[in-house]
Amino acid sequence: KQEVTQIPAALSVPEGENLVLNCSFTDSAIYNLQWFRQDPGKGLTSLLLIQSSQREQTSGRLNASLDKSSGRSTLYIAASQPGDSATYLCAVRKYNDMRFGAGTRLTVKP
Amino acid sequence: DTGVSQNPRHKITKRGQNVTFRCDPISEHNRLYWYRQTLGQGPEFLTYFQNEAQLEKSRLLSDRFSAERPKGSFSTLEIQRTEQGDSAMYLCASSWADLNEKLFFGSGTQLSVL
């Protein structure tokens, strides 16, 4: 059974800092890995999707990497802003089964 | 079309009552998923449809839960004889059929069972 773990569970940083969120998974036979953002009481917004054959994806200040063999992914956020405060979740897909981590709750202080 | 729409946003009900939620996916998407999320946890898969066919159901989906997607458009999720343990955020997502397509989520329906 696929287990997805996100560390740390919560992170607080000052504005402007670069930061890395971590995601690990136990079964490396995946189709893809997706990073989402969730604001309190809201649904999930897709940020980046990395296919199993890819090593990384970039969108603006966000960069996600994937090391399938070691079961790890990182989400790098450059020059963090207070508006980046949210919970970030990773999800791995195998067939029609998408498994989510519990998320990292990020607070960026002005 | 601006995204996945879910109604109602909030639902408070008494234990034992039936509730029904609605999801309107992005119109071009043929896959529709239901997830459940409790506080501090990631979403858990409940079921999914490809067009009007319900292709997979999680073991989490007890006999009190039923989902439909008539005509492959909107979907409904009904919970019969609600229990306090059903309190959660119910999320709907849609995508194209390609497994490497992104999932687009609605804002969810927050259910509170008293």
Side-chain angles (χ1 to χ4, degrees), chain B residues 4 23 31-35 91-95 103-106:
Chain B
V4 179
C23 171
R31 283 206 172 188
L32 185 148
Y33 300 79
W34 284 99
Y35 285 83
L91 294 162
C92 174
S94 69
S95 75
L103 248 60
F104 292 83
F105 280 82

Side-chain angles (χ1 to χ4, degrees), chain B:
Chain B
D1 190 306
T2 56
V4 179
S5 177
Q6 290 190 247
N7 288 288
R9 289 282 287 119
H10 303 276
K11 180 69 178 178
I12 300 173
T13 191
K14 293 182 179 179
R15 189 176 52 184
Q17 298 294 306
N18 299 343
V19 293
T20 300
F21 312 138
R22 176 179 170 126
C23 171
D24 288 272
I26 293 172
S27 57
E28 311 89 72
H29 287 175
N30 50 13
R31 283 206 172 188
L32 185 148
Y33 300 79
W34 284 99
Y35 285 83
R36 180 172 69 188
Q37 185 179 27
T38 53
L39 199 62
Q41 299 299 314
E44 294 176 295
F45 169 78
L46 293 178
T47 188
Y48 93 93
F49 293 83
Q50 180 148 326
N51 301 313
E52 67 276 7
Q54 188 174 16
L55 297 185
E56 191 169 338
K57 293 193 288 187
S58 163
R59 293 173 191 167
L60 293 174
L61 214 65
S62 76
D63 292 344
R64 297 183 297 104
F65 288 70
S66 63
E68 294 182 341
R69 192 183 183 197
K71 302 178 183 177
S73 55
F74 70 92
S75 176
T76 57
L77 178 68
E78 181 183 18
I79 309 175
Q80 297 182 326
R81 306 181 303 281
T82 52
E83 301 173 356
Q84 287 185 326
D86 297 331
S87 296
M89 173 79 86
Y90 289 84
L91 294 162
C92 174
S94 69
S95 75
W96 281 276
D98 187 332
L99 292 178
N100 275 319
E101 291 290 340
K102 289 183 178 180
L103 248 60
F104 292 83
F105 280 82
S107 296
T109 294
Q110 181 67 53
L111 173 66
S112 298
V113 182
L114 304 178

Side-chain angles (χ1 to χ4, degrees), chain A residues 53-84:
Chain A
S53 59
Q54 297 174 328
R55 298 283 293 183
E56 64 179 312
Q57 283 286 326
T58 299
S59 175
R61 294 182 295 108
L62 305 179
N63 176 277
S65 69
L66 174 64
D67 184 343
K68 206 174 66 162
S69 61
S70 68
R72 294 176 189 268
S73 176
T74 61
L75 179 67
Y76 174 82
I77 303 177
S80 58
Q81 302 170 359
D84 295 330

Side-chain angles (χ1 to χ4, degrees), chain A residues 34-37 44-49 62, chain B residues 101-105:
Chain A
Q34 202 165 342
W35 282 93
F36 293 89
R37 168 187 173 137
L44 282 70
T45 300
S46 178
L47 298 173
L48 292 164
L49 182 148
L62 305 179
Chain B
E101 291 290 340
K102 289 183 178 180
L103 248 60
F104 292 83
F105 280 82

